[in-house]
Amino acid sequence: NLIFSYRFIYNGRMYNNNGRPEEAIELFERIDEAHRDWSWYYRCGYAHASLACGESYESKHVQKALQLI
């Protein structure tokens, strides 16, 4: 549902802004692929990049952030 997708994006953004990227990713992953726009890719990539701080280039979160952003 498109309305739920917007709510998930909004709430995921709030989680990102409050240093809770794991919870943001959990919400972003619940959004159907048909409703994933530029903001989904940016915000989900940002959450993965937040988790990747201090990790090696080969880590799962760095690679996922690069893939999305």
Side-chain angles (χ1 to χ4, degrees):
N1 186 320
L2 187 59
I3 293 172
F4 286 117
S5 294
Y6 287 128
R7 287 183 185 169
F8 289 152
I9 288 284
Y10 178 79
N11 290 335
R13 186 186 74 190
M14 289 190 326
Y15 284 135
N16 272 340
N17 290 342
N18 289 297
R20 297 164 64 181
E22 297 95 349
E23 292 158 296
I25 291 169
E26 184 180 315
L27 283 180
F28 294 141
E29 292 298 325
R30 293 172 62 186
I31 295 173
D32 188 77
E33 284 191 38
H35 299 295
R36 295 179 181 180
D37 61 2
W38 66 269
S39 67
W40 182 91
Y41 287 95
Y42 175 80
R43 295 180 196 293
C44 193
Y46 179 89
H48 279 283
S50 295
L51 291 174
C53 288
E55 293 185 359
S56 72
Y57 183 77
E58 294 84 18
S59 77
K60 177 182 93 173
H61 291 296
V62 170
Q63 292 302 309
K64 188 67 175 180
L66 291 171
Q67 177 188 4
L68 293 170
I69 298 174

